[in-house]
Amino acid sequence: MNTTAIPLPRRSLASRPNVLKRLPHFVTLMKPRVMALALFTAFVGLIVAPTRLDPLHGFIAILAIAAGAGAAGALNMWYDADIDAVMARTAMRPIPRGKVSKVEALVFGLVLGVFAVTALALATNRAAAALLACTILFYVAVYTAWLKRSTSQNIVIGGAAGALPPVIGWAAATGQTALEPLALFLIIFLWTPAHFWALALNRADDYARAGVPMLPVVAGRAATTRQIVIYSVLLVLASELPWVLGFAGVIYGVIAAVCSAPFLLFAHQLNKSTGADRRAAHRLFLFSIFYLFALFAALLIDHGGRLNSSAPSPRTDHNIGWVNSDALPRVARSGSHLVKLSTREV
């Protein structure tokens, strides 16, 4: 009896899962445009620090911080998949579209986070790595899992996570933190409510449908625009802190003042606008992106945009403490490019 086996049809290459085709969806999980904000502010924190970090370790540090921001974004999308699916602003994200599963997003975020923290610890010091780990945990556990769905102050408190990258960059270079990076932290912290509430005003129905208690949903438009004005005034005052503290010069002070004037004007116009006018909120939202990048680009210009200085590189671990700002470099040179953020990724 002929028992010759019948060959089974081979799967064509086209029918096999193509990992490369799915890579863009995993990149989207990391919220790349928002990640650019964290990367840029961390880079500025590293540049303006008074201690030299050699280019290789500086590159690894920035890469690790970017990966940490991406991990936080992926874990945020994993946890928020249910509300992302019902909001028009987020319905096209990879998980609601079925391009990436929740399990894949969770594993990807955890692996990326562990890699980021480990790489930063090995390339720089444990202080910077600990700050990065705390930032990821705060964003995912405190903001995403708790504050976002429980209080209208979610953006205010949760904004601390987005304000930490320049502190991490400074710590990567020095092994310590100081008054100077905390001033940069304060600028981003006060910027966040005005920025996000300007977006939320035109997305209030979306947030209400998803059950997210954003301030415009809970308190209404009038109360929200008043809060935006208050935070805008505080932000403008805080924006001059680098100059007041002496680690930024005239270039920064002038740019901050020039950019602050239209920011206050747009906030005032929004406060005076009616609910039917969506342009005022959108205008402030867009300008707020430019404003923050302009401030940090001005710091780069003021400090010459150099990774190297005469101070030694801190390759050993240190306790978090205070450092002297007198050794900051003052060489003028042009800085970075602005990055445009998409409202679907904020």
Side-chain angles (χ1 to χ4, degrees):
M1 182 183 231
N2 188 354
T3 59
T4 303
I6 301 175
L8 296 174
R10 297 181 63 184
R11 293 178 62 187
S12 66
L13 289 175
S15 66
R16 296 176 182 175
N18 193 328
V19 176
L20 291 179
K21 288 183 178 179
R22 300 186 66 206
L23 280 179
H25 303 303
F26 283 96
V27 172
T28 303
L29 273 180
M30 297 189 290
K31 300 184 178 181
R33 298 176 192 266
V34 175
M35 184 171 66
L37 175 63
L39 189 152
F40 181 58
T41 57
F43 177 73
V44 174
L46 187 148
I47 290 293
V48 303
T51 308
R52 181 184 65 81
L53 189 63
D54 67 83
L56 175 61
H57 291 102
F59 174 77
I60 296 174
I62 292 301
L63 180 65
I65 294 170
L75 293 172
N76 170 267
M77 286 199 191
W78 159 73
Y79 192 88
D80 278 351
D82 56 336
I83 62 176
D84 283 350
V86 300
M87 293 179 63
R89 183 176 68 87
T90 55
M92 296 304 291
R93 285 176 172 176
I95 298 177
R97 291 175 60 200
K99 301 298 183 180
V100 177
S101 72
K102 286 193 66 175
V103 173
E104 288 173 328
L106 175 61
V107 172
F108 177 72
L110 291 175
V111 171
L112 192 62
V114 171
F115 163 79
V117 173
T118 303
L120 191 59
L122 294 176
T124 60
N125 53 77
R126 287 198 295 265
L131 282 171
L132 180 60
C134 289
T135 300
I136 297 171
L137 288 173
F138 188 90
Y139 183 75
V140 176
V142 178
Y143 168 68
T144 302
W146 175 33
L147 296 173
K148 186 172 183 178
R149 306 186 189 214
S150 63
T151 174
S152 61
Q153 296 299 304
N154 45 21
I155 287 300
V156 177
I157 306 170
L164 278 170
V167 183
I168 300 172
W170 182 287
T174 66
Q176 309 173 51
T177 190
L179 184 60
E180 293 91 338
L182 293 181
L184 303 182
F185 168 92
L186 183 62
I187 289 172
I188 303 176
F189 183 80
L190 294 173
W191 169 87
T192 302
H195 170 73
F196 278 97
W197 285 336
L199 169 66
L201 280 168
N202 288 341
R203 303 283 184 171
D205 293 342
D206 233 9
Y207 285 113
R209 183 166 56 253
V212 179
M214 293 293 286
L215 190 63
V217 176
V218 174
R221 180 184 178 87
T224 302
T225 56
R226 285 196 299 270
Q227 288 293 311
I228 287 176
V229 170
I230 291 172
Y231 276 98
S232 297
V233 172
L234 294 175
L235 169 62
V236 166
L237 294 175
S239 71
E240 293 294 342
L241 279 177
W243 175 73
V244 172
L245 294 174
F247 75 100
V250 176
I251 293 175
Y252 173 85
V254 170
I255 293 176
V258 169
C259 292
S260 293
F263 195 102
L264 288 176
L265 176 62
F266 292 149
H268 174 73
Q269 290 176 343
L270 175 59
N271 190 40
K272 295 298 181 182
S273 66
T274 64
D277 182 10
R278 299 171 61 89
R279 293 173 301 176
H282 188 62
R283 184 165 54 240
L284 178 61
F285 171 77
L286 291 179
F287 186 78
S288 68
I289 299 169
F290 167 80
Y291 179 79
L292 190 65
F293 273 91
L295 291 184
F296 278 79
L299 279 173
L300 278 182
I301 294 171
D302 218 40
H303 287 276
R306 297 189 306 168
L307 274 173
N308 295 318
S309 70
S310 58
S313 175
R315 295 294 300 120
T316 57
D317 295 303
H318 303 280
N319 295 324
I320 296 178
W322 300 99
V323 296
N324 187 348
S325 64
D326 293 339
L328 291 168
R330 296 300 182 113
V331 182
R333 181 178 153 194
S334 61
S336 66
H337 301 285
L338 299 180
V339 178
K340 183 178 179 181
L341 299 182
S342 164
T343 58
R344 289 190 312 181
E345 294 183 339
V346 178

